[in-house]
Amino acid sequence: MNVLFVASEMAPFAKTGGLADVVAALPAYLHRAGHDVRVVLPLYDKVDTSKATFTAILEFPVDLGAHRYGCKIFRTDVGGGFPIYFVHCPALYARGSLYTSEGDEHRRFLCLQFAALMIATKLGFSPDVVHCHDWQASLIPMILKTLAKSDPVFARSRSLLTIHNLMYQGSFPVGIGPDTNLGSVAHLFHQDLMRAGRVNFLLQGILYADGVSTVSPTYAKEIQGEKYGGGLDGYLRARSTTVVGILNGVDYGEWSPDHDKHLAHHYNPFDLSGKERDKEHLLTSLGLPYHPNVPVLGVVSRLVGQKGFKLFDPVMFELLRKHGFQLVVLGSGEPGLEAMFATLQRQFPRQVCFYNGFKNDLAHMIEAGADMFVMPSVYEPCGLNQLYSLRYGTVPIVHKTGGLADTVTQWNPRSGDGTGFAFEHHDEAGLRWAIEAALATYKQPKHWHRLMQNGMAQDFSWDAQGKLYELVYGRLVAAGRH
Ligand code: ADP
């Protein structure tokens, strides 16, 4: 199959979260499986162009209503594999960050979408599936059914919209309408919403994509209910037969303790001695004392409301005092949460280290060096860090929601089954219970060893998950023939 990916992030070029990991690993899987897959991304000024050879291949303007943007397209091939096309348009993408709250945010990603389709047309690349990721690519299904309908390149193209996080919807004032170039088919925009003065890009994708997917089976169900539906649950329910949940896979080439290039010591399920030395290395490099029997809890996360760290105040303060464990936190985000972690560090200088920032090598070191990994997310579409934790023998402590519920099973000391600790209710008592249960189990080395082994034996590779996407693509293409 010919597959065109359109997305706003791809590791290692541009990353703020899990989307980037998926857009790197899934095309790589599809390429290995013999498909002709190509990815289109913005060339943000943050992209490190020294990581690969960038070749200019096309140049064209993109018109968005009354605005004209000169775009130059650069192609690069990662590891001799599939092509990535970068849309170079400094007027839109030289902003110092991937996302902004500026007045032209909608145009930044409309330009990406129109440029992606123009690249396909100009290269004569006829996609069987256009795989659109999040609101930044979610008008493409509608464009394919309208403006691009008579373009022979897209004659057999079907669209799949993958929602990585339903809470980011691309909702704009209706006044941006002319910039979408879709004025002639304005009746296809959600009319009640327009009357209320808004245009919602993600909703348009949900309405017009041939298929809709999200990144775990539980989240696929959750977003069809009011609690997690972000106001779009009714539309998702209406299309429930086309909404599927496919867990993200892990790129074990990058994330595996037996060959992780960011680790000082390697280890595997049969010889865990390297993990203990990674723990010592992690703590000493962060200026914390190392004691072999004191458990270390790790956190690597965007510090935003979704991730549930509000519960840490007061639970983490109490438990650090009561149990004397250590906590290593890597993340940045909302000032209130950053301040809370800074306070934790100040109050417990020998127990807590808060590294405020985004640092990939430290993320790997925490996965290896910590004993437990905490993810108290309010909701979590899939979550990658718990999957990394499992592979690194770092026991996840999670709120039972979305992808966390699908990938972490509660430890059962009687049967010896389970891979972590999962609390059901997102409240202080839930988090306290889960951390204390983990700490108690840590004191029983035989049980703890079994728990680590159970986690390390899990397989969330893309070889399994990629096949599920191939099935979805196949179904979409077959349905298009009728
Ligand atoms: P989300 O996409 O909601 O941020 P995921 O768990 O799906 O959450 O993916 C997060 C990804 O981003 C993981 O690869 C994680 O290691 C990485 N990450 C998050 N915060 C940081 C940080 N501060 N430094 C380095 N990597 C980070």
Side-chain angles (χ1 to χ4, degrees), residues 105-392:
E105 187 70 355
H106 64 288
R107 284 201 295 275
R108 298 179 72 229
F109 296 103
L110 281 166
C111 181
L112 171 71
Q113 299 178 72
F114 281 104
L117 298 180
M118 281 166 90
I119 292 168
T121 304
K122 288 186 188 291
L123 298 179
F125 178 70
S126 192
D128 296 286
V129 176
V130 184
H131 194 159
C132 310
H133 297 269
D134 281 345
W135 75 260
Q136 288 87 355
S138 67
L139 280 195
I140 286 182
M142 192 174 159
I143 297 168
L144 287 175
K145 288 192 160 67
T146 55
L147 304 181
K149 200 173 161 198
S150 51
D151 185 337
V153 163
F154 301 113
R156 53 170 201 203
S157 300
R158 310 280 288 162
S159 59
L160 176 65
L161 169 64
T162 296
I163 301 171
H164 295 261
N165 189 332
L166 185 72
M167 295 304 156
Y168 300 96
Q169 300 183 356
S171 168
F172 299 102
V174 76
I176 65 104
D179 294 350
T180 64
N181 297 335
L182 291 161
S184 60
V185 289
H187 60 282
L188 297 180
F189 282 94
H190 192 282
Q191 296 298 295
D192 288 345
L193 204 58
M194 276 177 81
R195 276 191 286 278
R198 306 298 295 177
V199 174
N200 183 316
F201 282 22
L202 193 67
L203 171 57
Q204 293 307 123
I206 291 169
L207 295 174
Y208 291 103
D210 296 308
V212 176
S213 76
T214 185
V215 288
S216 69
T218 295
Y219 192 61
K221 279 189 222 121
E222 285 174 345
I223 59 176
Q224 296 182 52
E226 209 180 322
K227 186 169 172 198
Y228 295 109
L232 303 183
D233 46 299
Y235 307 102
L236 288 160
R237 272 198 305 279
R239 301 210 60 196
S240 66
T241 51
T242 46
V243 179
V244 295
I246 301 176
L247 276 173
N248 290 334
V250 174
D251 180 353
Y252 288 125
E254 278 291 310
W255 294 93
S256 216
D258 55 356
H259 58 257
D260 185 328
K261 60 178 184 282
H262 303 290
L263 299 188
H265 307 282
H266 291 140
Y267 59 92
N268 59 57
F270 310 105
D271 178 6
L272 290 167
S273 55
K275 183 166 176 64
E276 194 58 35
R277 283 183 286 152
D278 280 326
K279 175 171 170 177
E280 181 170 9
H281 181 251
L282 171 71
L283 294 171
T284 49
S285 61
L286 295 175
L288 289 177
Y290 162 71
H291 308 286
N293 295 322
V294 172
V296 172
L297 276 62
V299 167
V300 178
S301 186
R302 293 182 297 121
L303 300 182
V304 295
Q306 175 210 334
K307 300 296 180 181
F309 295 111
K310 261 200 178 145
L311 295 183
F312 272 29
D313 187 4
V315 173
M316 200 50 95
F317 288 79
E318 273 169 40
L319 296 182
L320 277 161
R321 199 166 292 124
K322 185 169 164 197
H323 297 285
F325 56 84
Q326 292 174 304
L327 172 69
V328 174
V329 179
L330 166 64
S332 62
E334 291 170 10
L337 290 169
E338 291 184 354
M340 186 212 28
F341 282 113
T343 307
L344 266 175
Q345 178 172 257
R346 247 194 332 275
Q347 286 193 11
F348 302 92
R350 293 177 62 77
Q351 284 170 265
V352 177
C353 178
F354 170 40
Y355 187 102
N356 186 341
F358 193 95
K359 203 168 181 327
N360 187 44
D361 56 348
L362 184 56
H364 287 251
M365 287 165 63
I366 293 174
E367 286 293 1
D371 296 295
M372 307 164 196
F373 196 94
V374 197
M375 295 180 74
S377 308
V378 179
Y379 69 93
E380 190 60 75
C382 175
L384 288 171
N385 281 309
Q386 83 281 14
L387 302 179
Y388 304 152
S389 299
L390 290 168
R391 177 51 60 115
Y392 284 71

Side-chain angles (χ1 to χ4, degrees), residues 7-15 40-54 74 76 78 84-89 93-98 108:
S8 57
E9 298 190 20
M10 178 183 190
F13 300 104
K15 168 166 171 172
V40 184
L41 284 178
L43 188 57
Y44 305 104
D45 51 355
K46 289 196 61 138
V47 173
D48 180 358
T49 47
S50 66
K51 280 207 165 79
T53 309
F54 285 70
F74 288 86
T76 188
V78 267
I84 307 167
Y85 303 117
F86 281 95
V87 181
H88 181 53
C89 177
Y93 304 130
R95 299 285 168 93
S97 64
L98 271 55
R108 298 179 72 229

Side-chain angles (χ1 to χ4, degrees), residues 29-94:
Y29 164 82
L30 293 168
H31 173 73
R32 284 198 304 277
H35 303 290
D36 185 347
V37 55
R38 308 182 185 198
V39 183
V40 184
L41 284 178
L43 188 57
Y44 305 104
D45 51 355
K46 289 196 61 138
V47 173
D48 180 358
T49 47
S50 66
K51 280 207 165 79
T53 309
F54 285 70
T55 314
I57 54 160
L58 292 169
E59 197 164 353
F60 51 74
V62 171
D63 289 314
L64 301 174
H67 305 267
R68 168 162 285 206
Y69 295 99
C71 296
K72 219 179 194 176
I73 309 303
F74 288 86
R75 174 186 162 141
T76 188
D77 292 41
V78 267
F82 54 92
I84 307 167
Y85 303 117
F86 281 95
V87 181
H88 181 53
C89 177
L92 292 172
Y93 304 130

